[in-house]
Amino acid sequence: MSDAGDDTGRTEGGDASGSADDSDRYDAVVVGCGPAGAAAGVFLARYGLDTAVFDRGSASLDRCAFLGNYPGFPAGIDVETFQGLLRDHAGESGCTIVDDLVESVQRADDGDARDGDADDVDADDAGTDARFVVETQDGRSVTAKRVVAATRYDGEYLRPLGGDEMFETHEHDGEEHEHFDPDYAEEDGRTEVEGLYVASPSGQRDVQAVVAAGRGAHAARTLLEDRRVDRGYPRELARHYDWLRPDSEFEGDWGDRERWEAWFDERVPDDHDANEERLAELREAYIDRAFATHRSAEEVADLTERAHSRLLDHLDEDLVLERAAEIEAERADSGE
């Protein structure tokens, strides 16, 4: 069995109007709310991190007339509706959506950090040894311990963190151009700057929306893995899987905490440096999180109804009513 994620019970969603306060401190900041940024935000917020997603600027999807190859939309989806769904999903997951343009991400001074309970296995770490200060066009200044870059067209705001090393130059039509180096980050999104992850820009690797979404999710999972290692989890047990499980997955041996404890202990390497007390705390937190993911058939039905209802919020009302009338007529004709 693998570690499973949870949906954290967050249902209020973020503030789509972007009313972040100047003194806001976050566990994570995501720059960009396209497919990559929204996916990253969803994974981070569902895990429980206090996450802000900054969304203003040039989007590659704006150059797309109609999105026809994103799985799950049999007849395609118009770009405006798709972008609305991305923002809504991130907000519904618990992200604060901020309509503001990030101009720079800089290293935080000691004065920007604050004490936190680093010994708490799953404590929020916003402002705890904050690594970054995020400055925006509208004058906001927020701190975060981790940042995910997810802006395909621009990485200039990252220059204060790595300077020219982050950029590459090339000549086109006799003129020299500078761009964020798509190979600066590793394949999993990690960078030489601790706490900074890059989902985009990444050259030709994220030119399709579905690929960009996958890169955002992968970078977020990498971030969560690193955070769990920071908390003391062995690397072998730090990877996070975000899914809900039916009750049947917790029947038999796997419904017994002792079975999970044995599974966990089998994967702790002999050279792991956590003491027994800390390891016990990590084990219990791991199992608690896994057990919190199971859902009964009734809960799944409720989630399904709510999910369908939320989709209706994004559909053309006249078309919905028209389709409902057609279905009613078909039922009448068939004698149902």
Side-chain angles (χ1 to χ4, degrees):
M1 300 287 285
S2 299
D3 181 24
D6 65 5
D7 59 354
T8 73
R10 294 190 178 194
T11 57
E12 297 179 1
D15 179 9
S17 65
S19 58
D21 185 83
D22 288 353
S23 61
D24 279 342
R25 301 168 184 262
Y26 294 96
D27 300 328
V29 161
V30 178
V31 185
C33 196
V42 165
F43 271 72
L44 298 177
R46 280 170 58 86
Y47 185 83
L49 298 192
D50 191 4
T51 304
V53 179
F54 287 82
D55 183 35
R56 188 197 293 172
S58 299
S60 56
L61 272 177
D62 291 338
R63 299 178 60 191
C64 178
F66 187 82
L67 188 59
N69 60 0
Y70 200 98
F73 299 100
I77 184 73
D78 63 283
V79 172
E80 183 178 1
T81 299
F82 181 68
Q83 289 174 322
L85 286 165
L86 291 177
R87 286 172 59 98
D88 198 3
H89 195 174
E92 188 76 13
S93 297
C95 296
T96 297
I97 311 297
V98 187
D99 289 314
D100 202 351
L101 179 69
V102 171
E103 292 195 330
S104 71
V105 178
Q106 305 177 49
R107 287 181 174 83
D109 296 329
D110 292 341
D112 292 315
R114 67 179 179 185
D115 293 332
D117 187 3
D119 292 328
D120 189 346
V121 173
D122 270 330
D124 288 343
D125 54 9
T128 305
D129 298 328
R131 296 190 180 105
F132 306 107
V133 176
V134 180
E135 304 281 355
T136 73
Q137 187 177 69
D138 291 347
R140 290 181 174 89
S141 178
V142 305
T143 61
K145 191 166 186 178
R146 296 169 175 86
V147 169
V148 178
T151 54
R152 173 158 176 74
Y153 283 153
D154 183 24
E156 182 64 30
Y157 59 93
L158 297 174
R159 188 181 290 274
L161 296 177
D164 294 341
E165 182 182 346
M166 289 182 161
F167 297 83
E168 63 177 5
T169 59
H170 66 91
E171 189 173 302
H172 180 68
D173 289 340
E175 295 184 359
E176 194 173 78
H177 299 269
E178 186 177 51
H179 299 284
F180 188 85
D181 184 355
D183 295 321
Y184 176 77
E186 298 176 18
E187 285 291 329
D188 55 17
R190 290 186 179 95
T191 70
E192 295 180 2
V193 179
E194 186 178 3
L196 174 66
Y197 302 80
V198 176
S200 185
S202 58
Q204 293 299 307
R205 287 168 292 187
D206 64 341
V207 295
Q208 300 283 278
V210 64
V211 180
R215 286 191 61 80
H218 190 50
R221 289 187 65 221
T222 300
L223 185 160
L224 291 173
E225 179 181 338
D226 290 346
R227 181 183 184 274
R228 285 157 69 88
V229 169
D230 288 345
R231 287 290 192 266
Y233 282 102
R235 181 68 67 177
E236 292 81 355
L237 289 159
R239 184 168 296 174
H240 174 63
Y241 298 85
D242 185 0
W243 52 40
L244 301 180
R245 297 176 181 273
D247 277 348
S248 59
E249 289 285 311
F250 291 84
E251 294 176 351
D253 288 348
W254 290 107
D256 186 347
R257 290 185 69 93
E258 290 185 0
R259 177 67 183 88
W260 281 85
E261 290 171 358
W263 182 90
F264 184 98
D265 291 342
E266 289 168 2
R267 284 155 179 78
V268 177
D270 293 336
D271 59 353
H272 188 59
D273 57 4
N275 60 45
E276 286 300 318
E277 182 179 357
R278 179 61 171 176
L279 199 58
E281 292 175 351
L282 294 168
R283 183 193 305 114
E284 292 308 302
Y286 188 105
I287 299 171
D288 286 344
R289 183 175 286 274
F291 270 77
T293 66
H294 75 85
R295 295 293 183 272
S296 67
E298 292 78 11
E299 288 173 318
V300 171
D302 289 342
L303 288 170
T304 300
E305 181 178 351
R306 185 169 184 275
H308 290 186
S309 177
R310 294 293 284 110
L311 284 175
L312 290 175
D313 292 341
H314 293 268
L315 302 180
D316 182 277
E317 185 176 314
D318 292 337
L319 289 177
V320 172
L321 293 174
E322 182 180 322
R323 181 58 179 149
E326 290 174 355
I327 293 173
E328 189 65 27
E330 291 169 0
R331 287 176 175 171
D333 290 342
S334 64
E336 292 184 9

